[in-house]
Amino acid sequence: LKKEETSSRKKDHIELALEAQISSSQTDDRFYYEPIMSGHPRSHPAPTQFFGKALSYPIWISSMTGGTKEAFKINTNLARACGEFKLGMGLGSCRIILDDDHYLNDFQFRKLVGDQPFFANLGIAQVEKLVWAKQVDKIKKLIDKIDADGLIVHINPVQEWLQPEGDHIEHSPVETLERLLNKFDFPVIAKEVGQGMGPESLKQLFSLPLGAIEFAAHGGTNFAKLELLRSNDMHQNNFNDLAFIGHTAEEMVHFSNQIINDLGKKVSCNQVIISGGIKSFLDGYYLIHKLNSHALYGQASAFLKYAASSYEELAAYTSSQIKGYQLASHFLKVK
Ligand SMILES: Cc1cc2nc3c(=O)[nH]c(=O)nc-3n(C[C@H](O)[C@H](O)[C@H](O)COP(=O)(O)O)c2cc1C
């Protein structure tokens, strides 16, 4: 190190030390910090398997958008990051390309994601229509068109109900999922969109031969709130409290552990994407280690913020998540 650099660093330390005070009540008490067992992380950790594919890090880019000009840019950036950093990703709802190829370009990212897990996405209302009309082939065609690995079904009755143009869900989603799984050879992931799910729903999902469950838990992006923001004052005042209904990712980890324990050999779904309100790699690392199932952690809005801006910003954000996760996995033990 040059002498000037060292002396400027020392000067920073003196100037900033009084600002850099933390009180003991702010300690993150989820972890034991063990600084003496390891050197700094190497750049290539062991990959995580998901759907038989290798992810360099247990990080998932949760489903977002499609079908607008802005969406094409966002999805291109997300798919590029997924491929470059060897993660996995879900697309936003692909409903718009079920019957019409006009927007197909917004969803065709197999080349950018390479061999990483890449999933199509439909809402339960749409899947229900197709399943009960015996048109599951249409979903298979969708998967083929974009060369996806499988289908994510988002189950969002509160959002649909609050949306002025929302769909009516006729059958119980669990029944629709069962029928879909009987006729569909690709892996299926079931998720909410930011309210999470309670123990009865989770128990049903863990009993189905799903490829994975994605929590999409409460505590981050909230589609009840979002739909209310799109509506008039009266509607907002009357239904505002619905935005606070749901289950956090941490609560869902507790439910899941209990369910996995109770179901024993009857567990049919062995992979989870812990998502919804995951603020950073520390939340992800903590919850992955708390859950008694193979898991990744996922984020939507956190990636969106950067993907909407530029690839460089998204890459910098993704890289910081990865570095943070690696640091955590070397020096932190979950309590
Ligand atoms: C702009 C935007 C669009 C979304 N669209 C979809 C969608 O089409 N399908 C879906 O399954 N989830 C969708 N989601 C929900 C996310 O996948 C995720 O479950 C939710 O945002 C909670 O994660 P977060 O707190 O990290 O944002 C969307 C989220 C955002 C922010």
Side-chain angles (χ1 to χ4, degrees):
L1 268 185
K2 292 202 188 97
K3 225 175 168 183
E4 310 90 77
E5 272 179 32
T6 315
S7 86
S8 131
R9 181 155 45 85
K10 297 283 174 206
K11 195 164 153 266
D12 282 352
H13 287 177
I14 292 165
E15 280 171 8
L16 297 173
L18 294 181
E19 263 180 62
Q21 300 294 314
I22 291 279
S23 92
S24 58
S25 65
Q26 291 173 289
T27 308
D28 186 340
D29 60 5
R30 295 175 296 177
F31 307 102
Y32 294 112
Y33 167 54
E34 303 292 2
I36 69 163
M37 320 299 216
S38 169
H40 274 131
R42 290 167 191 272
S43 49
H44 296 294
T48 300
Q49 292 290 316
F50 215 68
F51 297 105
K53 296 190 164 183
L55 276 71
S56 292
Y57 312 93
I59 300 176
W60 184 262
I61 301 171
S62 290
S63 297
M64 278 176 279
T65 184
T68 63
K69 200 169 162 223
E70 184 65 2
F72 177 72
K73 174 185 163 189
I74 291 169
N75 280 343
T76 304
N77 286 340
L78 293 172
R80 205 174 139 194
C82 175
E84 184 181 327
F85 294 97
K86 305 242 171 299
L87 313 177
M89 78 176 275
L91 285 166
S93 174
C94 306
R95 178 179 184 172
I96 200 165
I97 54 162
L98 257 181
D99 296 309
D100 180 350
D101 288 349
H102 185 73
Y103 288 102
L104 191 56
N105 214 19
D106 281 8
F107 297 89
Q108 277 178 321
F109 296 109
R110 175 50 85 190
K111 278 208 183 112
L112 279 177
V113 300
D115 197 31
Q116 299 311 113
F118 172 66
F119 275 68
N121 183 304
L122 288 172
I124 190 71
Q126 205 59 39
V127 172
E128 172 183 279
K129 282 198 190 91
L130 295 169
V131 163
W132 291 79
K134 302 204 178 338
Q135 292 182 342
V136 172
D137 279 353
K138 273 196 174 178
I139 308 180
K140 291 183 188 162
K141 263 194 207 143
L142 169 75
I143 302 287
D144 284 341
K145 269 201 279 203
I146 59 171
D147 196 11
D149 290 295
L151 178 73
I152 297 172
V153 183
H154 60 269
I155 303 170
N156 57 340
V158 175
Q159 182 192 5
E160 296 288 1
W161 192 80
L162 285 171
Q163 222 177 57
E165 66 278 47
D167 285 310
H168 194 80
I169 299 170
E170 303 286 340
H171 302 275
S172 72
V174 66
E175 208 179 332
T176 298
L177 284 176
E178 273 169 359
R179 286 176 181 242
L180 172 70
L181 290 166
N182 274 334
K183 298 266 179 271
F184 198 63
D185 314 322
F186 298 97
V188 175
I189 302 174
K191 76 188 279 289
E192 227 283 331
V193 294
Q195 310 275 143
M197 297 187 197
E200 286 297 322
S201 299
L202 276 175
K203 187 173 174 190
Q204 297 282 348
L205 293 183
F206 274 108
S207 308
L208 291 176
L210 289 165
I213 298 166
E214 180 173 354
F215 285 174
H218 194 255
T221 308
N222 186 286
F223 274 83
K225 181 160 182 175
L226 195 151
E227 294 302 344
L228 286 169
L229 291 173
R230 295 176 65 219
S231 68
N232 62 36
D233 283 356
M234 166 94 160
H235 199 65
Q236 285 192 23
N237 289 335
N238 290 344
F239 295 121
N240 187 44
D241 292 352
L242 284 176
F244 303 97
I245 298 295
H247 302 281
T248 63
E250 184 157 13
E251 193 182 16
M252 289 180 77
V253 164
H254 291 307
F255 293 155
S256 300
N257 285 343
Q258 184 67 50
I259 291 162
I260 291 165
N261 187 51
D262 293 349
L263 285 177
K265 289 200 172 110
K266 287 194 204 135
V267 170
S268 283
C269 172
N270 296 301
Q271 297 188 124
V272 174
I273 300 166
I274 301 167
S275 68
I278 304 296
K279 301 284 179 251
S280 79
F281 56 87
L282 279 182
D283 289 352
Y285 178 77
Y286 175 72
L287 294 172
I288 283 177
H289 284 82
K290 277 283 173 194
L291 181 68
N292 297 329
S293 176
H294 183 52
L296 311 177
Y297 82 90
Q299 292 184 310
S301 50
F303 282 116
L304 175 68
K305 202 161 104 192
Y306 302 100
S309 173
S310 71
Y311 183 71
E312 289 63 37
E313 284 187 39
L314 177 66
Y317 172 73
T318 311
S319 160
S320 71
Q321 285 298 299
I322 287 168
K323 281 191 187 152
Y325 194 90
Q326 284 183 290
L327 190 81
S329 57
H330 280 67
F331 298 112
L332 301 184
K333 296 265 176 301
V334 170
K335 282 185 186 171

